[in-house]
Amino acid sequence: MECFNMSCMGIDWVYPIHHTQYYLHKKVLSDRTNVEPWVCANLIRLFNEENTIPFIVRYRKGLINNLEADALRDVQQTLEELRTVAKKTHTTIQKLKKEGKLSGCLFTSLLNCRTLEELDHVTTPYKTGSKGTKAQRARQLGLEPAALSLLQRPMELNLFSYIRPNTKGLANIQEVEAGVQHILADIFAKDKDTLDFIRRLCQQRYICIQSALAKVSSKNSNEKNIDKFQLYHGFSCNIKNIQHHQILAINRGENLKILTVKVNIPDGVKNEFCWWCVNERWRPKQFLKPELMKILQNSVEDAYKRLIYPLLCREFRSKLTSDAEKESVMMFGRNLRQLLLTSPVRGRTLMGVDPGYKHGCKLAIISPTSQILHTDIVYLHSGQGFREAEKIKRLLLQFSCSTVVIGNGTACRETEAYFADLIMKKYFAPLDVVYCIANEAGASIYSVSPEASKEMPDLDPNLRSAVSIARRVQDPLAELVKIDPKHIGVGMYQHDVSQTLLKATLDSVVEECVSFVGVDINICSEILLRHIAGLNATRARNIIEWREKNGPFINREQLKEVKGLGPKTFQQCAGFIRFNQDYIKTFCSNKKTQLGSHALFTKAGTQLTNKKGKKKSKPTPSASYQPNPLDQTCIHPESYSIAMRFLSLIGGNTNEIGKSDMQQKVNAVIQKEGLEGTAKRLNTTVHTLQLIIDGLTQPEGFDIRTDFDKPDFKRSIVCFEDLSVGAVLTGKVENATPFGVFVDIGVGKAGLIPVRNITEAKLSKVKKRRSLGLGPGERVEVKVLNVDIPRLRITLDLIRVL
C-alpha cells in the first residue's frame, strides 16, 4: 500500500493514498484546542466510535478530564477541520498525479499545507483552465536549472547561454533574468521554513486591520445602511485586540459593498524578512556576482509583494473571521442552553397572550399538564378594552387561572400596561393575578409548521402561537425544541456565520439539554424524544409506534426490542431515559389482575398461551416485565451491577432510592472509607461511583433545571420616562453578546450592560462554577448609568447576580 508521511506538515499522519481515513496525532489537536494530548487521544477514539457529546460528558468523565460540553464541541469541530484539510490534500495529490503535474517540489509544498487557504495558494496555478503562473511559464522555457544553480552553484551559472532570440521569454538577458526571478520567488513563497519565519515575525509586530467607507457605496446603498457602519468608516485596530463582533460587522459592511477592508503589515516586517532570506535562509553556497545578487534580492521582494503578502492577508482575515464565527456560534449556543434550561413553572394553569392591534390579542388557557382548556380572541386596543376585561375576568375565574404570560412581540407594551392596570385595581379579585413577559421568537413560524398542525389540527394557526407562548413558561424545554434554534432569537450576527457550523452547534446544544434533563419514555412527545443522545427522527418514531402497539415501557431493557435501536444506540440513549416507577408499578399490577389465570405472565410482548399450552400466535423475544427502580435514575445500565454492589455495601435497597435514609447510609460509608477507597473496593472509577451516588440520593422527580432561574412575575409596570441615573433595579437577561448583555428591566426597552462592567467579582460563585456566565433568563440587580430618551438607549452597570 502506497503511503504519504505527512509529519512534515506538523501533523503526524499515516496517509494511505487509496483510503479516505486519516489518523491524526493527538499533539495537533492539543496545540489547536489547548486540551491535554492524552485527552485529545481519548476524544479522537470516542468520536471515531460514534459516541455522542452528552454520553461522553456524563459517562466518560475520567477519559476527558471533566471537560464540559462546549470544550468537546470545539475539539470535535477542530478535528473535522483537520480531516477536511487532509481529505482535500489527498484528493489534490491524486488529481495532480493523474494529470502528470505532481513534481517533488509540489508534493512537498502540498504536504506542508496546514490550512485550506495554504492549500488553495499552492494549487491555484494547477487548476483546470488556469493560464499558469509566471514561474510555471518560466519552467516550461527550461529556466529552472538556472534558478537552482543560482542558489547552489552560482560560479558556474551563465545566464547568457539561455538566450534564444526567437523565443518569447528568452529573447534577451532581461527576459531570462525575469524568468529566473519568477521561479525563485515561487520557491521562496512555498517553502515551509520561509513561511514559518514570516508568520513568527508578524506575531511580534503591530499588524492592524483597517476599514473605510467605499467610494461607490453612496451610489449603491441608502443612507440608513451607511449610517449603520458609521463606526467603521475610518476604523483601525490591532488584529490581536479586535473584538469578534467588530470583525463580523466589518465583514458584513464589506459584503454589502459599504466598506473596504485591508490588512496593514508594516514595512519593517518586509525589510527584516528580505534581509533574513538573502543572508540566512537562501544565502547562496558560493560567492555571488553583483548582477546575480540583484536577481536574488529582486526575487525575495517579488515573492513577498506578489505571493507572500496576499497569502498572509488572506490567512489573517480567514483566522479572524473563523474565530469570530466560532465565538458567535458558541455565544448563541450558551444563550440557547440557558434559555432551554429555564426552570419550568409546574402546577399552574396559565393564560398565554399573543398581543396584537388590528387582529386582536389571541388567548389560550392551558392546564398544569399542558392541555388546551380554552382559546379566544380579545380586542384590547380598539376601544373595547373595558368590555373585553369582563371576558378575561370570567375566563380567569372559570379556570382558576392566576398567571398570565404575555408574548414580547407587537403590542406587548400596551398589553402589559392593560393587564398591569387591571391588576393594580384588583379587578380580578379574589384571584391574585400576576403576569410575566415571554420571548415569543419563532412562535409564529412554529404555528404554521407541520408539527403544530399535527399537534393542534383543529386550532387556528393564530391561536396556536398563544398556546406556544404559555407552554414556553410551563415547560420551556419541551416547547422550544419544537422550533428551529435559529428562530429563537438569542444570537448575534447569526446570518453572517457558517450556517453549517451554526446548525451543528445548536443541534448539539439542544441534544445536550434534552439528554441531561431526561425524558419519561412513556409520556414524552416524539419531537422531544428525537433530541435524546443517540436517537433521531426515525428511531423516535419507532419508539412511539412500539409504545402505541405494546403499551408502556416497563424498563430500559425493552428499548432493545425497538426497530433500529442496536447496541450502540442503546448505549448512547439509555442513561437519559426515565421511568416513573409509581406509574409502572400500577400498570404491572393492573396487568396481572387482567391476565389472572388465563396466561403465563413472564415476558413483555410475549404472546399469551392457553391452559392447554397451545400458542395463540408466535412468541417474540423480549425483556422481563419486572420494573427496575434504577431506571428512574441517571445511572447507566452498564453500571447497574456496580450500583447493586454499592447498595449491598451500604446496607441499602432499591426501595430507598431518593429518600433521606439512602443519603444517610451513603454518607456513613463515604465518611468512613472515602470516595476513592470505596471506588477501589468496588473496582470502579471515582467518576462512576459519584454518578451512582448522585443517582441513588437525588429525590424522585429530580430536575437539574431547578437550579436555573424562573420567569420574573410582576404586578405593576415601570415607564421609560420614570428611569433616572443611579436608580437600582432588578431585571432579567434577554440576550448575551460579546460586547455586552441586554437586560429587560420592565420598561419596554432592554438596557445594555457593557462587557467591561461584567467582572468575575460580580458573578456568583455558582455561575462561575457552571461556566455559564450571564445568559438569557438570569435575574440581575443593575444600576442605571445613562438614559438616552431620544434614542431609547439605556446603559446599565451590573451590581450582582441574584
Side-chain angles (χ1 to χ4, degrees):
M1 179 178 67
E2 186 177 359
C3 293
F4 298 154
N5 187 334
M6 303 187 73
S7 59
C8 53
M9 177 179 167
I11 300 176
D12 192 6
W13 288 343
V14 178
Y15 189 82
I17 292 181
H18 67 272
H19 212 279
T20 58
Q21 185 67 36
Y22 310 95
Y23 302 94
L24 286 82
H25 193 277
K26 58 189 178 184
K27 187 176 182 302
V28 186
L29 218 51
S30 178
D31 290 342
R32 296 200 180 186
T33 59
N34 294 319
V35 174
E36 295 92 331
W38 68 270
V39 175
C40 288
N42 288 336
L43 282 172
I44 292 171
R45 178 175 59 82
L46 288 167
F47 286 136
N48 286 341
E49 293 172 356
E50 298 183 347
N51 291 289
T52 61
I53 287 177
F55 176 81
I56 296 171
V57 170
R58 177 171 285 180
Y59 298 111
R60 296 294 183 265
K61 281 181 179 291
L63 296 178
I64 62 171
N65 199 23
N66 284 318
L67 284 182
E68 294 185 352
D70 285 340
L72 262 61
R73 271 188 283 275
D74 186 34
V75 172
Q76 189 178 44
Q77 289 162 5
T78 304
L79 187 60
E80 289 304 313
E81 290 171 5
L82 291 171
R83 285 173 172 163
T84 300
V85 174
K87 189 173 182 179
K88 191 168 182 180
T89 301
H90 166 73
T91 304
T92 302
I93 289 174
Q94 290 288 76
K95 182 181 178 183
L96 293 176
K97 185 179 180 182
K98 185 177 181 180
E99 294 173 352
K101 300 177 182 178
L102 188 64
S103 63
C105 181
L106 176 58
F107 178 67
T108 302
S109 298
L110 288 169
L111 296 187
N112 287 335
C113 293
R114 293 175 291 183
T115 64
L116 291 176
E117 287 72 32
E118 284 187 52
L119 190 60
D120 187 62
H121 170 70
V122 172
T123 58
T124 296
Y126 302 95
K127 291 180 181 178
T128 305
S130 172
K131 297 180 180 179
T133 63
K134 294 179 179 180
Q136 278 184 295
R137 293 195 290 271
R139 286 188 174 100
Q140 291 169 359
L141 292 172
L143 290 176
E144 187 166 26
L148 297 176
S149 181
L150 188 147
L151 296 174
Q152 298 168 3
R153 299 179 303 278
M155 298 295 292
E156 303 173 7
L157 178 60
N158 180 11
L159 292 179
F160 287 94
S161 64
Y162 288 89
I163 296 176
R164 303 288 185 272
N166 297 325
T167 303
K168 185 179 180 181
L170 299 175
N172 52 55
I173 189 63
Q174 288 79 16
E175 290 186 354
V176 172
E177 289 178 349
V180 170
Q181 177 181 313
H182 293 149
I183 293 174
L184 289 175
D186 184 70
I187 293 173
F188 300 160
K190 294 176 181 176
D191 176 65
K192 180 179 183 296
D193 292 337
T194 303
L195 291 175
D196 287 344
F197 176 82
I198 188 67
R199 289 189 183 106
R200 287 195 302 271
L201 197 59
C202 287
Q203 288 177 356
Q204 301 165 6
R205 299 301 177 86
Y206 183 92
I207 312 297
C208 67
I209 185 169
Q210 300 174 334
S211 65
L213 183 64
K215 294 180 180 178
V216 296
S217 62
S218 58
K219 299 179 182 178
N220 302 328
S221 305
N222 59 46
E223 290 296 327
K224 187 176 180 181
N225 283 338
I226 293 176
D227 288 343
K228 288 181 181 178
F229 297 94
Q230 188 173 3
L231 288 173
Y232 303 101
H233 287 183
F235 179 82
S236 178
C237 185
N238 188 335
I239 61 172
K240 294 179 181 178
N241 301 329
I242 193 167
Q243 301 296 310
H244 296 306
H245 67 275
Q246 293 174 324
I247 285 293
L248 295 176
I250 288 172
N251 288 350
R252 179 185 287 185
E254 185 180 37
N255 292 334
L256 294 173
K257 302 189 185 312
I258 293 174
L259 301 176
T260 57
V261 185
K262 69 174 183 178
V263 176
N264 185 24
I265 301 176
D267 292 339
V269 171
K270 173 190 171 184
N271 297 335
E272 187 172 343
F273 170 74
C274 292
W275 185 94
W276 177 83
C277 285
V278 173
N279 295 281
E280 299 286 344
R281 179 69 181 94
W282 301 105
R283 183 175 182 174
K285 296 182 179 179
Q286 298 175 355
F287 173 76
L288 216 59
K289 298 177 183 178
E291 58 270 22
L292 295 182
M293 176 59 77
K294 186 65 175 175
I295 294 175
L296 178 61
Q297 291 172 341
N298 290 340
S299 300
V300 171
E301 290 189 7
D302 181 46
Y304 177 83
K305 182 179 179 180
R306 185 167 54 87
L307 302 172
I308 295 176
Y309 176 79
L311 172 65
L312 291 175
C313 291
R314 289 196 302 272
E315 285 184 348
F316 287 136
R317 291 290 305 276
S318 176
K319 180 71 166 56
L320 290 170
T321 298
S322 176
D323 290 347
E325 286 188 352
K326 283 184 179 179
E327 177 58 28
S328 178
V329 169
M330 292 297 282
M331 179 70 76
F332 200 140
R334 289 193 292 270
N335 290 346
L336 177 63
R337 182 197 292 112
Q338 192 82 33
L339 194 62
L340 292 176
L341 294 180
T342 300
S343 185
V345 177
R346 306 281 193 193
R348 293 198 194 190
T349 300
L350 303 178
M351 173 184 280
V353 182
D354 183 9
Y357 290 116
K358 184 177 179 180
H359 300 290
C361 297
K362 277 67 70 177
L363 306 181
I365 298 178
I366 63 171
S367 71
T369 57
S370 288
Q371 300 300 311
I372 302 172
L373 302 177
H374 182 81
T375 58
D376 214 323
I377 300 178
V378 291
Y379 298 88
L380 308 181
H381 313 301
S382 57
Q384 305 178 45
F386 180 76
R387 187 177 65 187
E388 300 290 34
E390 284 294 326
K391 180 192 289 188
I392 295 172
K393 180 178 180 179
R394 186 173 65 253
L395 291 173
L396 292 176
L397 289 170
Q398 179 183 347
F399 296 102
S400 298
C401 175
S402 59
T403 306
V404 178
V405 183
I406 304 171
N408 66 345
T410 304
C412 167
R413 187 63 178 165
E414 292 81 356
T415 305
E416 180 187 8
Y418 178 86
F419 275 95
D421 182 59
L422 294 177
I423 292 171
M424 292 296 290
K425 293 177 180 177
K426 301 188 182 301
Y427 183 80
F428 302 118
L431 294 176
D432 181 17
V433 176
V434 294
Y435 73 90
C436 69
I437 306 298
N439 182 359
E440 68 171 43
S444 298
I445 296 174
Y446 167 71
S447 65
V448 295
S449 68
E451 288 84 1
S453 299
K454 183 179 179 181
E455 185 181 4
M456 298 173 275
D458 301 325
L459 207 58
D460 184 273
N462 292 316
L463 294 170
R464 291 174 189 164
S465 60
V467 175
S468 178
I469 289 169
R471 286 176 174 172
R472 288 182 184 205
V473 170
Q474 190 171 68
D475 192 345
L477 181 62
E479 189 63 24
L480 291 174
V481 294
K482 303 173 185 176
I483 301 165
D484 188 333
K486 289 188 295 184
H487 298 145
I488 294 179
V490 289
M492 181 197 69
Y493 293 102
Q494 64 192 67
H495 301 295
D496 298 316
V497 303
S498 166
Q499 295 303 298
T500 303
L501 176 62
L502 180 64
K503 185 179 187 308
T505 300
L506 298 185
D507 287 347
S508 178
V509 169
V510 173
E511 180 185 68
E512 172 198 339
C513 293
V514 175
S515 298
F516 286 171
V517 170
V519 298
D520 188 329
I521 189 69
N522 289 316
I523 62 173
C524 70
S525 66
E526 179 184 325
I527 296 175
L528 194 63
L529 195 58
R530 72 177 60 158
H531 292 290
I532 286 288
L535 301 183
N536 54 29
T538 302
R539 291 166 183 160
R541 186 165 57 252
N542 290 342
I543 289 174
I544 299 298
E545 289 175 356
W546 191 100
R547 191 174 74 190
E548 292 173 349
K549 179 181 178 181
N550 299 282
F553 288 87
I554 306 302
N555 55 37
R556 284 172 172 165
E557 283 297 314
Q558 281 185 290
L559 287 167
K560 296 178 179 179
E561 299 177 19
V562 178
K563 181 182 177 182
L565 262 71
K568 191 65 183 181
T569 301
F570 177 80
Q571 179 199 45
Q572 298 300 303
C573 74
F576 305 112
I577 287 175
R578 302 280 185 273
F579 293 78
N580 184 309
Q581 291 301 299
D582 292 337
Y583 172 76
I584 297 299
K585 289 175 182 176
T586 302
F587 172 80
C588 290
S589 177
N590 294 338
K591 195 73 174 176
K592 286 181 181 179
T593 302
Q594 292 173 14
L595 292 175
S597 60
H598 297 289
L600 301 175
F601 186 81
T602 54
K603 301 283 186 176
T606 302
Q607 302 300 321
L608 304 179
T609 58
N610 59 25
K611 292 181 179 179
K612 294 182 179 181
K614 293 182 180 180
K615 298 178 182 178
K616 292 186 177 180
S617 59
K618 187 177 179 180
T620 57
S622 56
S624 170
Y625 249 135
Q626 188 67 33
N628 189 336
L630 293 176
D631 288 344
Q632 67 181 314
T633 72
C634 60
I635 303 171
H636 197 279
E638 66 186 9
S639 302
Y640 278 4
S641 61
I642 302 172
M644 295 306 295
R645 295 206 312 271
F646 179 68
L647 281 172
S648 178
L649 176 65
I650 66 174
N653 60 70
T654 55
N655 292 328
E656 298 172 331
I657 291 176
K659 297 178 180 177
S660 58
D661 291 347
M662 178 68 73
Q663 185 70 64
Q664 292 172 5
K665 292 178 180 180
V666 169
N667 292 343
V669 172
I670 297 303
Q671 288 174 6
K672 181 179 178 182
E673 300 188 19
L675 202 60
E676 292 186 5
T678 307
K680 189 174 182 181
R681 184 171 176 179
L682 294 171
N683 194 27
T684 188
T685 65
V686 171
H687 298 289
T688 300
L689 178 58
Q690 184 61 61
L691 193 65
I692 290 172
I693 291 173
D694 291 343
L696 295 176
T697 57
Q698 286 169 350
E700 187 177 354
F702 172 79
D703 192 333
I704 64 170
R705 293 175 292 176
T706 56
D707 292 335
F708 290 77
D709 299 278
K710 291 185 177 181
D712 189 15
F713 293 105
K714 301 183 287 186
R715 291 182 175 83
S716 60
I717 191 170
V718 179
C719 298
F720 191 93
E721 292 74 13
D722 296 338
L723 292 178
S724 60
V725 174
V728 175
L729 305 165
T730 59
K732 188 173 71 171
V733 175
E734 271 192 356
N735 197 7
T737 70
F739 56 83
V741 171
F742 290 96
V743 179
D744 177 11
I745 54 176
V747 296
K749 185 72 176 179
L752 174 66
I753 306 176
V755 68
R756 64 179 178 273
N757 293 343
I758 305 172
T759 62
E760 286 290 318
K762 296 177 182 178
L763 295 177
S764 69
K765 293 182 180 179
V766 175
K767 298 300 178 187
K768 285 187 282 188
R769 185 164 63 250
R770 290 186 198 154
S771 297
L772 290 173
L774 283 174
E778 294 195 68
R779 295 184 69 246
V780 293
E781 187 174 55
V782 296
K783 182 170 73 173
V784 178
L785 297 180
N786 183 54
V787 181
D788 187 345
I789 294 178
R791 302 172 73 179
L792 295 179
R793 291 182 180 177
I794 311 165
T795 306
L796 306 171
D797 183 25
L798 175 65
I799 297 177
R800 63 191 178 100
V801 180
L802 300 175

